[in-house]
Amino acid sequence: MLFNVVLGIWITAGIVIGFMMPPAIGLVHSTVMYFHVPMAIAMLTAFLIAAWRGIQWLRTRDPRHDAASLAYAEVGAFFGIIATMTGSIWAGANWQSYWNWDAQQIGIVGTLLTYGALFALRSAVDDDDKKRDLWAVYAIFGVIAAIFLTYVFRRLVPSLHPNDTLTKSAPGYRLTLWFNVFGYIMLLVRVAGLRARFETARERLKELSWAMS
Amino acid sequence: MGYVLVVALLTWGGVFFYMLRLEKLARSVEADVRRIEQQSAVATSPTKTDTAPLETAPREKELV
């Protein structure tokens, strides 16, 4: 309960502070960056945790790790959709075009399509253990693809996407950015943790109902 | 800008209530699991009528 209250106040404060900040140097609008950048960082964090929990499943065979891996990947993909949408809004304000096939835009869409395909592949397997084994491998593959597509790709080809605009700005901008990054990572941990708990309990309930019938 | 801030706060409110609802659902399913596990533990626990070796022991002694 206390965590929910802290989270509620933290993110509300982050949104309000983000809207109150003046535009960063060299940009027409930068408000959306306080949500776009934290969402993208939270997305990559989620995919990294999903891969780690997948490895934990392979090592321990504890289904709670598989449930957590899937939950982190799902919430990460949701954060990725928001990062894409907010990035597009930012591009519309600063590049006068919502979509212009920039390397970063292609990269994040590629990441989301990759995870979409991985979710579809997981749902196509009926056997629970096989599904969990395959998902662990998918999660490892997914995070490697995500790091390449969202971080490396735009540095290999020409891109308009700016790097380190806020982190190289005045301390107030950096503080607001990291305040929001921390808030959205807390939200990620909370929501993915709850989804994993719910899924684990639901699976156990299914097993018990099957055993009793 | 004020309008966008209101939309952002309303969206966050929606996510927050989804989170609270998810927590309530998880607690409810976990309570169901605990209840069924307790019921099945009671149903399979040993009772005095199951302790056949204790009842048969004196008879074995009599036979000897």
Side-chain angles (χ1 to χ4, degrees), chain A residues 146-174:
Chain A
I147 290 168
F148 177 79
L149 289 168
T150 60
Y151 194 76
V152 180
F153 182 53
R154 75 163 189 264
R155 287 170 169 83
L156 296 177
V157 295
S159 171
L160 287 169
H161 192 275
N163 294 317
D164 308 324
T165 307
L166 290 177
T167 51
K168 285 178 182 167
S169 297
Y173 294 97
R174 289 202 298 270

Side-chain angles (χ1 to χ4, degrees), chain A residues 4 7-8 11-12 15 19 31 187 190-191 194-195 197-198 201-202 204-205 208 212, chain B residues 1 4-5 8-9 12 16 18-20 22-23 25-27 29-30 32-33 36-37:
Chain A
N4 291 343
L7 196 58
I11 292 189
T12 308
I15 292 170
F19 272 83
T31 304
L187 179 66
R190 185 63 174 160
V191 175
L194 285 173
R195 280 183 73 86
R197 257 177 69 186
F198 175 68
R202 206 168 62 103
R204 180 76 185 127
L205 195 63
L208 285 170
M212 289 176 84
Chain B
M1 190 63 94
V4 183
L5 175 60
L9 288 173
W12 159 233
F16 188 73
Y18 164 74
M19 192 182 80
L20 295 182
L22 192 61
E23 186 171 16
L25 270 172
R27 281 181 196 277
V29 178
E30 281 169 349
D32 282 349
V33 168
I36 294 172
E37 278 177 342

Side-chain angles (χ1 to χ4, degrees), chain A residues 112-195:
Chain A
L112 294 176
L113 289 175
T114 303
Y115 272 87
L118 299 181
F119 292 135
L121 283 170
R122 180 188 164 107
S123 65
V125 182
D126 289 329
D127 181 71
D128 281 346
D129 272 0
K130 196 176 171 188
K131 179 188 285 189
R132 287 165 179 156
D133 287 346
L134 287 172
W135 172 257
V137 180
Y138 296 160
I140 297 164
F141 168 76
V143 76
I144 294 167
I147 290 168
F148 177 79
L149 289 168
T150 60
Y151 194 76
V152 180
F153 182 53
R154 75 163 189 264
R155 287 170 169 83
L156 296 177
V157 295
S159 171
L160 287 169
H161 192 275
N163 294 317
D164 308 324
T165 307
L166 290 177
T167 51
K168 285 178 182 167
S169 297
Y173 294 97
R174 289 202 298 270
L175 185 69
T176 310
L177 175 73
W178 291 114
F179 186 86
N180 276 327
V181 169
F182 191 69
Y184 290 115
I185 287 176
M186 279 200 295
L187 179 66
L188 162 75
V189 171
R190 185 63 174 160
V191 175
L194 285 173
R195 280 183 73 86

